[in-house]
Amino acid sequence: MSIQGIIFDCDGTLADTMPFHWQAWQTVVARYGLEFSEERFYSLGGVPSRDILKMLSSEQGIEIDPLAVAKEKEAAYLPLLPGVKPIQRVAEIAWANHGKIPMAVASGGTRSGIGQVLAHLGIRHLFEAVVTSEDVVHQKPAPDIFLEAAARIEVAPIHCRAYEDTDLGMQAIRSAGMEAVDVRELIAQTARR
């Protein structure tokens, strides 16, 4: 299969944002008396904050406005952005393919938040398209976000390679019919060298 397009998740794949997102989550869940473990946070990587908050609210019987609280979580996260660094191994792949092959970002984050991360890292210009949770109805593990990214770079899904750092994201890539690369394994291989 010849690869004609590359798609990257952002949080935890291109950018080492997950510890900062977790810090912001701790602030917000404490404010509302919600329980949310770090293990569960990482297992839900790629799921939009508003959907996680709906889930937590329903499970724990605590009435909240998921959209409003998701905005509070984003507001708690953005001041931490200066500390975000790229995931070097993955960023190198994006830089190496810039101008050679169409590339996109497919993220469960918000358009504003992902845009700010990519701008902070100085890599927004590498991507022809950025697709976020606001651009599709069905979120990861549904394939929709990756399919939309492929459509925007005008490459058939079968000819796309996509990079992810979560089980839900890997499931979404495979459901989209794309070649899936688990960034966790890439990082582990790099560390062993």
Side-chain angles (χ1 to χ4, degrees):
M1 177 174 76
S2 70
I3 298 303
Q4 299 167 18
I6 302 176
I7 302 169
F8 298 89
D9 171 50
C10 184
D11 293 313
T13 298
L14 282 166
D16 193 8
T17 54
M18 297 307 277
F20 299 101
H21 279 294
W22 172 238
Q23 195 175 328
W25 269 108
Q26 288 178 295
T27 301
V28 172
V29 295
R31 188 178 298 154
Y32 290 94
L34 291 163
E35 302 219 4
F36 190 39
S37 71
E38 188 171 8
E39 181 182 338
R40 189 162 190 207
F41 161 71
Y42 279 101
S43 76
L44 291 171
V47 177
S49 298
R50 65 178 186 265
D51 294 352
I52 293 172
L53 286 159
K54 280 182 203 164
M55 195 184 314
L56 297 177
S57 169
S58 171
E59 290 169 358
Q60 297 173 36
I62 296 174
E63 282 292 319
I64 57 166
D65 176 342
L67 280 176
V69 179
K71 286 180 180 164
E72 289 179 41
K73 185 262 166 186
E74 193 76 5
Y77 163 71
L78 289 176
L80 307 174
L81 194 56
V84 172
K85 304 273 187 258
I87 302 223
Q88 207 56 48
R89 180 71 186 96
V90 183
E92 286 168 4
I93 293 165
W95 280 104
N97 286 286
H98 176 56
K100 298 175 186 167
I101 191 168
M103 296 189 295
V105 172
S107 171
T110 63
R111 191 174 301 117
S112 167
I114 296 305
Q116 290 180 64
V117 169
L118 296 174
H120 165 71
L121 296 178
I123 60 173
R124 172 58 187 94
H125 69 285
L126 301 180
F127 307 102
E128 284 80 357
V130 175
V131 182
T132 69
S133 64
E134 294 157 286
D135 297 310
V136 295
V137 174
H138 302 289
Q139 307 300 327
K140 299 172 188 176
D144 302 36
I145 203 159
F146 288 100
L147 294 172
E148 179 63 22
R152 290 193 189 180
I153 59 171
E154 300 179 348
V155 177
I158 190 122
H159 295 295
C160 289
R161 174 181 293 142
Y163 291 79
E164 254 288 358
D165 68 308
T166 68
D167 293 341
L168 293 177
M170 293 295 289
Q171 188 179 332
I173 294 167
R174 290 185 184 112
S175 294
M178 299 177 182
E179 180 183 314
V181 179
D182 191 329
V183 170
R184 296 167 293 191
E185 292 174 12
L186 263 188
I187 293 167
Q189 289 169 0
T190 305
R192 284 194 295 267
R193 286 185 192 150

